[in-house]
Amino acid sequence: MNSMLEEKGISFKEIEQEIFKIICEVGRDLTKEILERYDGKLHEERNKSEFRDKGCRRSTIKTAYGEVSYDRHVYQVRDDYGINRSVYLLDENLKLNRIGLISENYVELLLSSITEMSYRNCAEKLSQTTGLSISHAAVWNVIQALGDKLVHDEKELVETGKKEDLRGSREVPVLFEEADGVWLNLQGKDRARRNYPKAEMKAAIAYDGWVEKGLGRYSLDGKVVTAGFHKASDFQKIRESMIASEYNLDEVQIRLLNGDGASWIKKPVDKETIFQLDPFHRNKSIRENLSHKKAIRDVMELLESEQIEETFAYLTMYKDSLSEDTEIEKAESLISYFRANKEGLVPYHKRVLSMPKSPEGIVYKNMGTMENHIWSIIARRMKHNHSSWSIKGGNHLAKILAKKCSGKLYEVTEKLHIPVFEEEKLEEIKGDILQAGQVKEKIGKGYRYPVIGRMLGLDTEIRGDRRKLLSMAGY
């Protein structure tokens, strides 16, 4: 072996790749055997008068170790209307009526990748690191199917909310809410239809406070994230329904809303919600519209000391002292922005005189996390790298990104019908398929795989790195 490594120059990377291919082949063969055994068991135990055997048909399921093709029986049944239809007992028992017949594990790998990279890069990564080669078009199809199901579920949630049947299990005295939007590039027909190159992706987050994760490090607790290309009224209905499905709003005493002052943000479903102008956007507007450092400092100090009327008086005096039209326009813009959001200029903790006691382990801090969340939820994945989106496609991906931010990414896979082997059924069909602990006792140390079965790859032409590897293994 040492001589071959030195003379032939085979690397460990090549050995690893070849072993991985063989293991994937073994996994595919084992899966095929289990599926066909189970189908045979269902075939024998079926009600023969109800399910008429019409032979076998081939199907393929995509797994993390490659495509598994297997044969299963098709049956003819007569429905309640007297119409004959075909059914596959194996598919129905294992709930294999899914998108493209992709396994749950593979979908989870796909989801974790698509939230970080483009469809093309996601397909390349999965093809390189698993036993299944997949195209970027196939990745796109899966995401659209999952996103479409999430959109459908949101609509059902809104309809349930209209009947006042939504009441989540979390009971908290204070609910913190933040919202913002980011403009994304549109593509194709959506760009032409709107006669504008961009559309606003709305995003909102609700949480019940902060929990300490380490010394001086805090994270939001109980996050509910909503995102999508929606009209303002539709977005608010979806947002309220998602919050109500998580929280018991009857028990919430105070609802606080942080935002940049956009009209759609300031129209929550609950009219008693206390609005706060986002500190980041407030200070950003001051710096962008005031040219003098002293004026910037003075306005911030007045706001910090809650002198709102004095702030407007100062800004008016400042505007009157200017001579350049551009600076005057900027000062007027700032005054208008502050007047439109006057009620939110003072932070909530300085207005709410008596805050309810926080639940154990929860602390209340200053709001203003939305700018960071709009980046982590939407902008990092969807705004840059010359990305452009259709309304439907962008909406679907946004729903998945929102699930990830909520810490519920893998709940998305539950929107597919995932095959589940019940333990007792697996015990019945696996027969003499060996478990790891039985191998030594059953076959002993002298066992060589080709004696009982076949060495994968030996029944085809052997060449290249596979020949080297088999030579090293003694074949």
Side-chain angles (χ1 to χ4, degrees):
M1 184 181 292
N2 290 335
S3 176
M4 179 174 288
L5 287 173
E6 292 175 1
E7 295 178 9
K8 302 294 184 180
I10 188 172
S11 66
F12 179 77
K13 178 182 177 180
E14 293 170 309
I15 296 174
E16 183 182 28
Q17 289 173 340
E18 198 62 29
I19 290 175
F20 178 72
K21 291 178 185 177
I22 294 174
I23 291 173
C24 287
E25 290 182 40
V26 172
R28 291 194 291 270
D29 282 356
L30 185 59
T31 303
K32 178 179 185 295
E33 181 178 357
I34 290 176
L35 291 175
E36 291 182 349
R37 282 194 187 188
Y38 189 26
D39 183 66
K41 180 178 181 297
L42 294 172
H43 179 70
E44 293 298 324
E45 296 178 353
R46 80 188 193 282
N47 184 338
K48 294 180 174 60
S49 62
E50 181 181 357
F51 297 94
R52 296 179 57 192
D53 187 7
K54 305 299 288 185
C56 290
R57 301 289 186 275
R58 174 147 293 202
S59 183
T60 300
I61 182 170
K62 298 177 177 65
T63 73
Y65 40 85
E67 292 188 352
V68 177
S69 295
Y70 59 97
D71 295 318
R72 79 276 197 241
H73 288 84
V74 59
Y75 305 94
Q76 187 180 80
V77 297
R78 189 180 295 272
D79 63 21
D80 295 338
Y81 299 97
I83 299 174
N84 291 331
R85 63 184 182 89
S86 298
V87 298
Y88 297 92
L89 287 180
L90 179 67
D91 292 6
E92 291 192 356
N93 275 265
L94 297 182
K95 299 180 181 178
L96 289 173
N97 53 325
R98 293 162 298 107
I99 303 133
L101 288 174
I102 299 179
S103 72
E104 180 181 8
N105 286 327
Y106 198 81
V107 172
E108 289 184 354
L109 289 172
L110 190 154
L111 281 172
S112 63
S113 298
I114 201 60
T115 59
E116 301 290 337
M117 59 188 70
S118 69
Y119 288 101
R120 191 174 297 278
N121 289 341
C122 175
E124 290 178 357
K125 177 185 176 183
L126 291 176
S127 297
Q128 292 169 0
T129 58
T130 69
L132 177 66
S133 179
I134 189 169
S135 68
H136 70 278
V139 173
W140 186 89
N141 287 334
V142 173
I143 296 302
Q144 302 319 302
L146 290 169
D148 193 56
K149 186 65 171 65
L150 291 174
V151 169
H152 174 75
D153 289 348
E154 285 183 353
K155 290 179 179 178
E156 287 191 341
L157 206 59
V158 170
E159 290 301 316
T160 304
K162 287 179 181 178
K163 302 173 186 176
E164 299 183 351
D165 291 337
L166 285 177
R167 187 170 284 103
S169 59
R170 298 178 71 98
E171 296 185 354
V172 295
V174 180
L175 189 62
F176 298 87
E177 303 171 48
E178 305 194 33
D180 202 353
V182 58
W183 290 86
L184 302 179
N185 293 322
L186 294 178
Q187 60 181 216
K189 294 180 180 179
D190 286 324
R191 177 191 287 252
R193 186 181 300 114
R194 289 171 171 254
N195 199 28
Y196 190 70
K198 295 185 178 184
E200 185 180 32
M201 173 68 71
K202 296 177 176 65
I205 183 171
Y207 51 98
D208 54 38
W210 288 255
V211 291
E212 189 170 10
K213 293 296 184 180
L215 186 60
R217 294 187 299 106
Y218 293 86
S219 65
L220 304 185
D221 183 65
K223 290 194 292 186
V224 177
V225 183
T226 313
F229 285 129
H230 297 290
K231 294 190 301 183
S233 58
D234 293 338
F235 182 80
Q236 296 293 21
K237 291 175 184 176
I238 294 170
R239 171 176 163 270
E240 188 72 6
S241 298
M242 292 185 68
I243 292 173
S245 68
E246 184 75 17
Y247 289 95
N248 183 352
L249 295 180
D250 293 338
E251 300 298 321
V252 175
Q253 302 173 36
I254 297 176
R255 294 181 70 169
L256 305 168
L257 175 61
N258 181 82
D260 64 0
S263 59
W264 67 269
I265 295 176
K266 294 168 62 178
K267 295 179 181 178
V269 175
D270 186 346
K271 302 303 180 183
E272 295 183 1
T273 300
I274 299 173
F275 172 73
Q276 168 189 293
L277 184 64
D278 182 61
F280 172 83
H281 287 91
R282 182 196 68 189
N283 296 339
K284 179 183 177 183
S285 183
I286 294 172
R287 294 189 181 95
E288 288 178 347
N289 290 293
L290 301 183
S291 305
H292 300 81
K293 291 183 179 180
K294 183 179 184 306
I296 294 173
R297 185 170 60 253
D298 290 344
V299 170
M300 287 188 174
E301 288 177 355
L302 287 169
L303 290 174
E304 184 65 26
S305 58
E306 305 172 47
Q307 300 180 60
I308 304 304
E309 295 302 329
E310 289 80 356
T311 299
F312 284 108
Y314 182 94
L315 287 172
T316 301
M317 182 178 64
Y318 171 81
K319 182 197 70 172
D320 294 339
S321 69
L322 300 173
S323 57
E324 294 187 12
D325 291 342
T326 303
E327 291 187 352
I328 293 173
E329 289 177 2
K330 287 184 176 181
E332 290 176 342
S333 175
L334 180 60
I335 293 172
S336 298
Y337 180 58
F338 278 3
R339 287 201 184 281
N341 297 283
K342 185 176 180 180
E343 75 279 12
L345 288 174
V346 177
Y348 85 88
H349 59 275
K350 294 184 177 181
R351 282 187 283 159
V352 181
L353 300 179
S354 179
M355 283 285 287
K357 183 180 179 181
S358 63
E360 185 177 356
I362 301 293
V363 297
Y364 296 153
K365 297 168 64 68
N366 296 341
M367 299 173 73
T369 68
M370 199 59 208
E371 191 65 23
N372 175 61
H373 276 88
I374 201 71
W375 164 257
S376 61
I377 300 170
I378 302 297
R380 183 166 63 92
R381 172 63 180 87
M382 300 184 71
K383 187 175 177 64
H384 305 290
N385 300 320
H386 305 288
S387 298
S388 60
W389 307 89
S390 67
I391 293 296
K392 186 176 181 180
N395 206 41
H396 288 166
L397 181 58
K399 303 299 179 185
I400 292 172
L401 292 170
K403 282 289 185 182
K404 178 182 180 180
C405 186
S406 299
K408 300 176 180 179
L409 178 61
Y410 294 123
E411 284 186 6
V412 178
T413 60
E414 297 175 4
K415 305 305 175 184
L416 293 173
H417 296 293
I418 301 300
V420 178
F421 286 92
E422 297 178 11
E423 186 174 352
E424 60 273 16
K425 289 184 179 180
L426 185 57
E427 289 293 331
E428 291 176 3
I429 65 173
K430 71 180 183 180
D432 59 352
I433 298 174
L434 299 178
Q435 297 180 7
Q438 300 172 317
V439 173
K440 184 176 179 180
E441 178 183 350
K442 181 91 174 183
I443 58 180
K445 297 180 180 179
Y447 172 73
R448 297 180 69 209
Y449 185 85
V451 172
I452 296 178
R454 64 184 179 88
M455 182 64 179
L456 294 169
L458 288 179
D459 51 356
T460 58
E461 184 178 358
I462 303 173
R463 56 188 176 187
D465 293 337
R466 177 163 288 195
R467 179 182 292 280
K468 298 177 186 178
L469 185 61
L470 293 175
S471 297
M472 292 167 57
Y475 298 108

